[in-house]
Amino acid sequence: MDKIILGIESSCDDTSAAIIKDGYMLSNIIANQKVHEAYGGVVPELASRAHQQNIIPVVDQAIKAAGVNKDKISGIAFTRGPGLLGSLLVGNSFAKGFALVNEIPLIEVNHLQAHVLAHFIKEKDKEIKHPKFPFLCLLVSGGHSQIIKVNDYFDMEIIGQTIDDAAGEAFDKCAKTIGLPYPGGPLIDKYAKAGNPTTFTFTRPKVKGYDYSFSGLKTAFLYFIRDRVKENPRFIKENRDDLCASIQFTIIDILLKKLKLAIKETGINEIAVAGGVSANSGLRNTLFEYGRNQNLNVYFPEFKFTTDNAAMIFKLNILFHNNC
Ligand code: KG4
Ligand code: ZN
């Protein structure tokens, strides 16, 4: 019998549903919530209300796009956490109701594990190149910055993590400081392409081991902009691209310094990146180049699987990966 899994992701501000059949992704629908743009960050109450509105149409679209019969779904996987409580509750309640009515198993999935396992999503007629165990995964999203030693699909060890803000949060907050809407990460990436990364320099945090810190950088950037704008009210407008390139360069430098240390000390040469910030073109280019120079195998998920999506919420489907 076919194994058809419906995946649900609602941990933050994206409502997503995916259908995976016998280990292959057939559909992956994501509804972004534009409502947060004006606030410079996700407003939890608005996020959970938007999830409530989106969840049924998104699931419906995912089932239709996959061309499967709803009654043939054999299990439902959903994001258990971590994430915003109200947002998680919507996906969780929907999944429980769906499982109960259809008398199918309910599979809970850890959101961070799911980002790492996004490297193993399979699509028909597409060859995937995924990391081999054990590998190091730099997991960088809006809520997390971690270096994970991945020994097997469900055997992961966090060896370093941020002690305050996440890398994605640093992108978003610095973007907000220069008047860009949420989420600012993709916009910083876009404008950085036309800027000079060495125009402005910002101090790097001093944190032990493989841990990260981004809150100091965020504050330093805020004061720097405040002082420059006092001298020249047009400072941001005149320097937007260089500001974006410089802050992006600094965040990448901080991320890679600790990753390089972990590579050196563990001797692992399979390196993966996951989470929303893995969409960043500067991070991709810099790490691929480092990998080429150091004989490392570097893996980034396909662009559409970098930010939150339900295709990565597919724990059970790992069972179909026997031939990987
Ligand atoms: O993984 P994700 O969708 O949600 C969380 O689990 O947090 O990550 C969202 C984060 C946001 O902070 C967003 O600004 C950042 O990923 N992001 C980027 C880029 N695309 C998304 N940051 C830098 N460059 C990008 N191209
Ligand atoms: Zn995420």
PDB file of all heavy atoms in Angstrom, residues 23 116-122 128 130-133 135 150 153 314 318 321 324:
ATOM      1  N   GLY A  23       7.954   8.475   0.222  1.00  0.00           N
ATOM      2  CA  GLY A  23       9.251   9.140   0.370  1.00  0.00           C
ATOM      3  C   GLY A  23       9.503  10.274  -0.596  1.00  0.00           C
ATOM      4  O   GLY A  23      10.519  10.960  -0.487  1.00  0.00           O
ATOM      5  N   VAL A 116      17.316  20.455   9.467  1.00  0.00           N
ATOM      6  CA  VAL A 116      18.509  19.666   9.101  1.00  0.00           C
ATOM      7  C   VAL A 116      18.128  18.606   8.059  1.00  0.00           C
ATOM      8  O   VAL A 116      18.808  18.422   7.048  1.00  0.00           O
ATOM      9  CB  VAL A 116      19.128  18.991  10.356  1.00  0.00           C
ATOM     10  CG1 VAL A 116      20.304  18.103   9.959  1.00  0.00           C
ATOM     11  CG2 VAL A 116      19.561  20.036  11.379  1.00  0.00           C
ATOM     12  N   LEU A 117      16.991  17.947   8.295  1.00  0.00           N
ATOM     13  CA  LEU A 117      16.573  16.847   7.402  1.00  0.00           C
ATOM     14  C   LEU A 117      16.019  17.349   6.064  1.00  0.00           C
ATOM     15  O   LEU A 117      15.756  16.534   5.167  1.00  0.00           O
ATOM     16  CB  LEU A 117      15.560  15.946   8.116  1.00  0.00           C
ATOM     17  CG  LEU A 117      16.108  15.245   9.363  1.00  0.00           C
ATOM     18  CD1 LEU A 117      15.040  14.382  10.026  1.00  0.00           C
ATOM     19  CD2 LEU A 117      17.327  14.385   9.032  1.00  0.00           C
ATOM     20  N   ALA A 118      15.877  18.672   5.922  1.00  0.00           N
ATOM     21  CA  ALA A 118      15.453  19.234   4.621  1.00  0.00           C
ATOM     22  C   ALA A 118      16.443  18.828   3.528  1.00  0.00           C
ATOM     23  O   ALA A 118      16.110  18.814   2.352  1.00  0.00           O
ATOM     24  CB  ALA A 118      15.341  20.748   4.708  1.00  0.00           C
ATOM     25  N   HIS A 119      17.667  18.493   3.943  1.00  0.00           N
ATOM     26  CA  HIS A 119      18.673  18.043   2.966  1.00  0.00           C
ATOM     27  C   HIS A 119      18.300  16.719   2.321  1.00  0.00           C
ATOM     28  O   HIS A 119      18.881  16.334   1.313  1.00  0.00           O
ATOM     29  CB  HIS A 119      20.037  17.903   3.649  1.00  0.00           C
ATOM     30  CG  HIS A 119      20.719  19.223   3.838  1.00  0.00           C
ATOM     31  ND1 HIS A 119      21.462  19.815   2.846  1.00  0.00           N
ATOM     32  CD2 HIS A 119      20.719  20.082   4.878  1.00  0.00           C
ATOM     33  CE1 HIS A 119      21.912  20.978   3.277  1.00  0.00           C
ATOM     34  NE2 HIS A 119      21.473  21.162   4.499  1.00  0.00           N
ATOM     35  N   PHE A 120      17.350  16.003   2.917  1.00  0.00           N
ATOM     36  CA  PHE A 120      17.020  14.648   2.421  1.00  0.00           C
ATOM     37  C   PHE A 120      15.668  14.589   1.709  1.00  0.00           C
ATOM     38  O   PHE A 120      15.183  13.509   1.400  1.00  0.00           O
ATOM     39  CB  PHE A 120      17.057  13.653   3.587  1.00  0.00           C
ATOM     40  CG  PHE A 120      18.422  13.557   4.223  1.00  0.00           C
ATOM     41  CD1 PHE A 120      18.762  14.385   5.285  1.00  0.00           C
ATOM     42  CD2 PHE A 120      19.365  12.671   3.732  1.00  0.00           C
ATOM     43  CE1 PHE A 120      20.026  14.324   5.861  1.00  0.00           C
ATOM     44  CE2 PHE A 120      20.636  12.603   4.299  1.00  0.00           C
ATOM     45  CZ  PHE A 120      20.966  13.433   5.366  1.00  0.00           C
ATOM     46  N   ILE A 121      15.056  15.748   1.471  1.00  0.00           N
ATOM     47  CA  ILE A 121      13.764  15.747   0.765  1.00  0.00           C
ATOM     48  C   ILE A 121      13.993  15.245  -0.659  1.00  0.00           C
ATOM     49  O   ILE A 121      14.909  15.698  -1.347  1.00  0.00           O
ATOM     50  CB  ILE A 121      13.150  17.172   0.731  1.00  0.00           C
ATOM     51  CG1 ILE A 121      12.863  17.669   2.141  1.00  0.00           C
ATOM     52  CG2 ILE A 121      11.873  17.187  -0.118  1.00  0.00           C
ATOM     53  CD1 ILE A 121      12.462  19.140   2.224  1.00  0.00           C
ATOM     54  N   LYS A 122      13.153  14.284  -1.043  1.00  0.00           N
ATOM     55  CA  LYS A 122      13.310  13.720  -2.402  1.00  0.00           C
ATOM     56  C   LYS A 122      12.149  14.150  -3.285  1.00  0.00           C
ATOM     57  O   LYS A 122      11.006  14.205  -2.846  1.00  0.00           O
ATOM     58  CB  LYS A 122      13.328  12.186  -2.329  1.00  0.00           C
ATOM     59  CG  LYS A 122      14.572  11.632  -1.659  1.00  0.00           C
ATOM     60  CD  LYS A 122      14.850  10.195  -2.052  1.00  0.00           C
ATOM     61  CE  LYS A 122      13.844   9.213  -1.524  1.00  0.00           C
ATOM     62  NZ  LYS A 122      14.239   7.815  -1.721  1.00  0.00           N
ATOM     63  N   ILE A 128      19.213  14.111  -5.725  1.00  0.00           N
ATOM     64  CA  ILE A 128      19.641  14.989  -4.633  1.00  0.00           C
ATOM     65  C   ILE A 128      21.029  14.576  -4.175  1.00  0.00           C
ATOM     66  O   ILE A 128      21.353  13.391  -4.125  1.00  0.00           O
ATOM     67  CB  ILE A 128      18.669  15.022  -3.435  1.00  0.00           C
ATOM     68  CG1 ILE A 128      18.373  13.610  -2.904  1.00  0.00           C
ATOM     69  CG2 ILE A 128      17.411  15.787  -3.742  1.00  0.00           C
ATOM     70  CD1 ILE A 128      17.836  13.609  -1.497  1.00  0.00           C
ATOM     71  N   HIS A 130      23.060  14.753  -0.973  1.00  0.00           N
ATOM     72  CA  HIS A 130      22.909  15.118   0.439  1.00  0.00           C
ATOM     73  C   HIS A 130      24.154  14.746   1.229  1.00  0.00           C
ATOM     74  O   HIS A 130      24.942  13.894   0.804  1.00  0.00           O
ATOM     75  CB  HIS A 130      21.659  14.455   1.026  1.00  0.00           C
ATOM     76  CG  HIS A 130      21.626  12.977   0.841  1.00  0.00           C
ATOM     77  ND1 HIS A 130      22.423  12.132   1.563  1.00  0.00           N
ATOM     78  CD2 HIS A 130      20.921  12.210  -0.003  1.00  0.00           C
ATOM     79  CE1 HIS A 130      22.191  10.896   1.182  1.00  0.00           C
ATOM     80  NE2 HIS A 130      21.296  10.914   0.227  1.00  0.00           N
ATOM     81  N   PRO A 131      24.344  15.378   2.401  1.00  0.00           N
ATOM     82  CA  PRO A 131      25.547  15.099   3.195  1.00  0.00           C
ATOM     83  C   PRO A 131      25.577  13.674   3.714  1.00  0.00           C
ATOM     84  O   PRO A 131      24.537  13.065   3.939  1.00  0.00           O
ATOM     85  CB  PRO A 131      25.451  16.105   4.345  1.00  0.00           C
ATOM     86  CG  PRO A 131      24.041  16.567   4.377  1.00  0.00           C
ATOM     87  CD  PRO A 131      23.476  16.388   3.012  1.00  0.00           C
ATOM     88  N   LYS A 132      26.786  13.182   3.902  1.00  0.00           N
ATOM     89  CA  LYS A 132      26.943  11.818   4.443  1.00  0.00           C
ATOM     90  C   LYS A 132      27.252  11.912   5.942  1.00  0.00           C
ATOM     91  O   LYS A 132      27.945  12.848   6.363  1.00  0.00           O
ATOM     92  CB  LYS A 132      28.091  11.095   3.706  1.00  0.00           C
ATOM     93  CG  LYS A 132      27.715  10.721   2.253  1.00  0.00           C
ATOM     94  CD  LYS A 132      28.916  10.302   1.456  1.00  0.00           C
ATOM     95  CE  LYS A 132      29.349  11.176   0.307  1.00  0.00           C
ATOM     96  NZ  LYS A 132      28.764  12.389  -0.082  1.00  0.00           N
ATOM     97  N   PHE A 133      26.743  10.936   6.696  1.00  0.00           N
ATOM     98  CA  PHE A 133      26.965  10.951   8.154  1.00  0.00           C
ATOM     99  C   PHE A 133      28.397  10.531   8.462  1.00  0.00           C
ATOM    100  O   PHE A 133      28.915   9.654   7.777  1.00  0.00           O
ATOM    101  CB  PHE A 133      25.998   9.976   8.840  1.00  0.00           C
ATOM    102  CG  PHE A 133      24.550  10.303   8.608  1.00  0.00           C
ATOM    103  CD1 PHE A 133      23.741   9.446   7.862  1.00  0.00           C
ATOM    104  CD2 PHE A 133      23.996  11.464   9.111  1.00  0.00           C
ATOM    105  CE1 PHE A 133      22.404   9.727   7.643  1.00  0.00           C
ATOM    106  CE2 PHE A 133      22.649  11.763   8.888  1.00  0.00           C
ATOM    107  CZ  PHE A 133      21.857  10.886   8.156  1.00  0.00           C
ATOM    108  N   PHE A 135      27.938  14.506   9.712  1.00  0.00           N
ATOM    109  CA  PHE A 135      28.248  15.802   9.125  1.00  0.00           C
ATOM    110  C   PHE A 135      27.990  16.914  10.138  1.00  0.00           C
ATOM    111  O   PHE A 135      27.296  16.697  11.137  1.00  0.00           O
ATOM    112  CB  PHE A 135      27.470  16.019   7.820  1.00  0.00           C
ATOM    113  CG  PHE A 135      25.959  16.059   7.925  1.00  0.00           C
ATOM    114  CD1 PHE A 135      25.289  17.252   8.164  1.00  0.00           C
ATOM    115  CD2 PHE A 135      25.197  14.899   7.749  1.00  0.00           C
ATOM    116  CE1 PHE A 135      23.899  17.291   8.220  1.00  0.00           C
ATOM    117  CE2 PHE A 135      23.804  14.927   7.805  1.00  0.00           C
ATOM    118  CZ  PHE A 135      23.151  16.127   8.049  1.00  0.00           C
ATOM    119  N   VAL A 150      25.736  15.945  13.293  1.00  0.00           N
ATOM    120  CA  VAL A 150      24.648  15.037  12.910  1.00  0.00           C
ATOM    121  C   VAL A 150      25.244  13.653  12.663  1.00  0.00           C
ATOM    122  O   VAL A 150      25.928  13.421  11.664  1.00  0.00           O
ATOM    123  CB  VAL A 150      23.914  15.557  11.647  1.00  0.00           C
ATOM    124  CG1 VAL A 150      22.701  14.693  11.340  1.00  0.00           C
ATOM    125  CG2 VAL A 150      23.504  17.014  11.822  1.00  0.00           C
ATOM    126  N   TYR A 153      20.125  10.210  11.133  1.00  0.00           N
ATOM    127  CA  TYR A 153      18.898  10.995  10.940  1.00  0.00           C
ATOM    128  C   TYR A 153      18.359  11.583  12.250  1.00  0.00           C
ATOM    129  O   TYR A 153      17.976  12.738  12.310  1.00  0.00           O
ATOM    130  CB  TYR A 153      17.807  10.132  10.301  1.00  0.00           C
ATOM    131  CG  TYR A 153      18.129   9.688   8.893  1.00  0.00           C
ATOM    132  CD1 TYR A 153      18.299   8.349   8.589  1.00  0.00           C
ATOM    133  CD2 TYR A 153      18.247  10.619   7.864  1.00  0.00           C
ATOM    134  CE1 TYR A 153      18.578   7.935   7.299  1.00  0.00           C
ATOM    135  CE2 TYR A 153      18.540  10.220   6.575  1.00  0.00           C
ATOM    136  CZ  TYR A 153      18.707   8.882   6.284  1.00  0.00           C
ATOM    137  OH  TYR A 153      18.993   8.493   5.009  1.00  0.00           O
ATOM    138  N   PHE A 314       8.674  15.562   7.842  1.00  0.00           N
ATOM    139  CA  PHE A 314       8.359  14.296   7.200  1.00  0.00           C
ATOM    140  C   PHE A 314       9.051  13.105   7.839  1.00  0.00           C
ATOM    141  O   PHE A 314       9.258  12.091   7.201  1.00  0.00           O
ATOM    142  CB  PHE A 314       8.721  14.376   5.708  1.00  0.00           C
ATOM    143  CG  PHE A 314      10.210  14.395   5.421  1.00  0.00           C
ATOM    144  CD1 PHE A 314      10.751  13.519   4.485  1.00  0.00           C
ATOM    145  CD2 PHE A 314      11.057  15.269   6.072  1.00  0.00           C
ATOM    146  CE1 PHE A 314      12.120  13.531   4.220  1.00  0.00           C
ATOM    147  CE2 PHE A 314      12.413  15.290   5.806  1.00  0.00           C
ATOM    148  CZ  PHE A 314      12.937  14.428   4.876  1.00  0.00           C
ATOM    149  N   ILE A 318      11.712   9.138   6.389  1.00  0.00           N
ATOM    150  CA  ILE A 318      13.112   8.724   6.448  1.00  0.00           C
ATOM    151  C   ILE A 318      13.192   7.203   6.239  1.00  0.00           C
ATOM    152  O   ILE A 318      14.146   6.679   5.692  1.00  0.00           O
ATOM    153  CB  ILE A 318      13.714   9.128   7.828  1.00  0.00           C
ATOM    154  CG1 ILE A 318      13.912  10.641   7.883  1.00  0.00           C
ATOM    155  CG2 ILE A 318      15.016   8.422   8.103  1.00  0.00           C
ATOM    156  CD1 ILE A 318      14.880  11.204   6.866  1.00  0.00           C
ATOM    157  N   HIS A 321      14.246   6.029   3.009  1.00  0.00           N
ATOM    158  CA  HIS A 321      15.555   6.455   2.523  1.00  0.00           C
ATOM    159  C   HIS A 321      16.579   5.331   2.512  1.00  0.00           C
ATOM    160  O   HIS A 321      17.772   5.585   2.441  1.00  0.00           O
ATOM    161  CB  HIS A 321      16.088   7.613   3.369  1.00  0.00           C
ATOM    162  CG  HIS A 321      15.688   8.946   2.823  1.00  0.00           C
ATOM    163  ND1 HIS A 321      16.401   9.584   1.858  1.00  0.00           N
ATOM    164  CD2 HIS A 321      14.608   9.710   3.074  1.00  0.00           C
ATOM    165  CE1 HIS A 321      15.786  10.714   1.553  1.00  0.00           C
ATOM    166  NE2 HIS A 321      14.692  10.809   2.278  1.00  0.00           N
ATOM    167  N   CYS A 324      19.360   5.571   0.120  1.00  0.00           N
ATOM    168  CA  CYS A 324      20.143   6.815   0.000  1.00  0.00           C
ATOM    169  C   CYS A 324      21.638   6.551   0.151  1.00  0.00           C
ATOM    170  O   CYS A 324      22.011   5.738   0.937  1.00  0.00           O
ATOM    171  CB  CYS A 324      19.739   7.806   1.086  1.00  0.00           C
ATOM    172  SG  CYS A 324      18.235   8.624   0.680  1.00  0.00           S
TER     173      CYS A 324
END
